[in-house]
Amino acid sequence: MHIKTLTALALASLVSAQTYTDCDPTKKTCPNDKAVGKEIINIDFTKGANSFFKNMVGTTLQYDNKLGAVYTIKKETDAPTVASSRYIFFGQVDVTVRAAFGKGVVTSFVLQSDDLDEIDWEWIGSDHTQVQTNYFSKGCTETYDRGGFSSVANPQDEFHTYTIKWTPTQLDWIIDGTVVRTLKASEAKGCAGYPQTPMQIKLGTWVAGRKDAAQGTIEWAGGVTDFNEGPFNGYYQSIKIQDFMGGDGVTGPKDATEYKYGDKSGTWQSIKVLTGTSTEDIDTTSPSKTGTGSSTATTLSTVPASSASSASDSSVSSLPIDSSLNHNGSSSTGDATEATGNVVTGGAGKLAMSIASLGAALFAGAMLL
């Protein structure tokens, strides 16, 4: 009975947390996504801010010459978050981070696409032994059972490097060079489909342990946040970004300037890789993100597609709403292969994963209130 009640409470909290995407390319024609391309992005936040990332509304960051970008939580409505100005279409992202401490405080490293695919790392401030991983497909919110837990030592006191390596066939979550979880694209089906469309990188912290949050949410987050113990600081020290441009890091296009949805299927094979010159910054609120230079398009079609289901624009999100950025959130069923990590499975573990998955879904609600 307690399990049923906890699940119901957690699900009830999703009502006010609506996903936002400025334009879903699976539903209408949208501006192209500006690509990271062949450039390897290395950012050392101990040296200060970098124009590759944009601060979301309400975000003010400090920079420490040893610790990096400081994400501070002082009150319930704080949710400092930045988002990349360019997208990757498969790739590898390495983030060196020390998570914020505190009950109810969540640190998040997220990849999100315009059509609501998502890949996550999340740290609960009161959990000193593990980190949570998750993935979503096309904004599907039918179930919440794809989250996983992986062991990591003292994530609030020590810096670790957390990596997402994402190819057309496989997704790996990696801690300090060791793979802790693997998802095979060939086994990700239906609502639990494989994330496969161009994504932004988002880094942030937020409060899940709000006094007005549902009991299930508070329990997932470790309790109600006591701001007398704050401020709560998370530190992003550095990030390295490699765009595979629709390939696997070995094969694929040699460069890319933009990514264009070739149709409304949401499959990676439908994405066109545009090459050539493009000087216009990404701006999802403008009629077009397409550059003024010449471009050529390549449509990729070498690996069988996983199924991609569509969803409405009103789903659940893990990130704060901002009209200049695109968001996602959801979860679902499926028998995706997960290997080489401490990924929770079965019985109470599935409940834990369900509650964990809700964390990604509740970030938007924090910013709406």
Side-chain angles (χ1 to χ4, degrees):
M1 179 63 70
H2 176 69
I3 289 176
K4 290 182 178 179
T5 301
L6 179 59
T7 303
L9 285 168
L11 289 173
S13 69
L14 298 177
V15 174
S16 64
Q18 296 298 308
T19 251
Y20 180 83
T21 177
D22 188 67
C23 187
D24 186 341
T26 65
K27 295 175 175 58
K28 58 184 177 181
T29 301
C30 297
N32 298 338
D33 295 326
K34 188 173 181 180
V36 169
K38 67 180 180 181
E39 179 185 6
I40 296 177
I41 305 293
N42 276 292
I43 299 173
D44 181 354
F45 291 116
T46 67
K47 296 179 179 179
N50 190 286
S51 60
F52 182 81
F53 283 96
K54 297 180 179 181
N55 287 5
M56 294 187 69
V57 173
T59 295
T60 300
L61 301 179
Q62 301 297 319
Y63 292 87
D64 184 277
N65 61 10
K66 292 183 179 179
L67 300 174
V70 185
Y71 288 64
T72 301
I73 299 288
K74 294 181 178 180
K75 58 184 183 300
E76 286 189 344
T77 55
D78 286 343
T81 305
V82 300
S84 64
S85 57
R86 289 183 273 165
Y87 288 61
I88 63 171
F89 181 25
F90 303 118
Q92 180 168 321
V93 182
D94 308 275
V95 173
T96 300
V97 59
R98 200 176 95 186
F101 71 91
K103 292 186 298 182
V105 177
V106 182
T107 305
S108 298
F109 157 31
V110 176
L111 305 185
Q112 289 185 314
S113 72
D114 296 352
D115 69 348
L116 310 181
D117 283 352
E118 182 175 328
I119 304 167
D120 298 340
W121 284 101
E122 286 193 306
W123 299 261
I124 302 298
S126 58
D127 188 341
H128 305 292
T129 62
Q130 59 188 359
V131 60
Q132 299 181 18
T133 56
N134 220 329
Y135 71 99
F136 306 120
S137 175
K138 304 296 180 283
C140 186
T141 58
E142 292 178 6
T143 60
Y144 298 86
D145 58 359
R146 286 181 283 173
F149 295 79
S150 297
S151 297
V152 62
N154 304 315
Q156 294 81 15
D157 296 315
E158 299 176 15
F159 282 99
H160 295 276
T161 298
Y162 302 86
T163 299
I164 292 172
K165 185 175 182 180
W166 173 46
T167 74
T169 59
Q170 183 169 306
L171 171 58
D172 291 320
W173 288 264
I174 303 166
I175 301 177
D176 295 330
T178 299
V179 176
V180 296
R181 183 180 181 186
T182 294
L183 171 70
K184 299 286 188 181
S186 61
E187 299 184 19
K189 305 293 184 181
C191 185
Y194 191 68
Q196 58 192 281
T197 48
M199 294 194 183
Q200 282 181 303
I201 300 114
K202 303 182 181 183
L203 311 174
T205 55
W206 57 287
V207 181
R210 299 166 61 105
K211 291 180 180 179
D212 59 353
Q215 185 61 32
T217 303
I218 292 171
E219 291 187 20
W220 167 77
V224 173
T225 304
D226 182 357
F227 290 94
N228 292 321
E229 298 178 354
F232 307 105
N233 294 326
Y235 303 95
Y236 286 89
Q237 193 174 66
S238 64
I239 187 169
K240 180 179 180 180
I241 302 164
Q242 300 175 75
D243 184 359
F244 291 170
M245 299 172 287
D248 59 7
V250 178
T251 61
K254 294 182 179 180
D255 198 5
T257 55
E258 293 180 339
Y259 299 121
K260 179 179 181 178
Y261 285 71
D263 58 33
K264 293 180 172 57
S265 66
T267 61
W268 73 268
Q269 291 91 338
S270 70
I271 303 299
K272 295 183 178 181
V273 178
L274 305 182
T275 61
T277 58
S278 178
T279 59
E280 198 169 293
D281 288 338
I282 192 168
D283 182 0
T284 58
T285 63
S286 69
S288 175
K289 290 180 283 186
T290 304
T292 57
S294 61
S295 295
T296 58
T298 302
T299 300
L300 304 168
S301 57
T302 57
V303 178
S306 59
S307 58
S309 59
S310 62
S312 67
D313 282 357
S314 292
S315 274
V316 182
S317 176
S318 69
L319 289 171
I321 290 177
D322 179 3
S323 63
S324 68
L325 302 169
N326 300 309
H327 311 289
N328 170 30
S330 71
S331 247
S332 61
T333 57
D335 27 358
T337 298
E338 298 169 357
T340 68
N342 302 318
V343 178
V344 179
T345 57
K350 288 188 176 180
L351 171 65
M353 288 194 294
S354 297
I355 301 303
S357 297
L358 295 174
L362 294 167
F363 202 171
M367 291 297 289
L368 285 171
L369 298 176

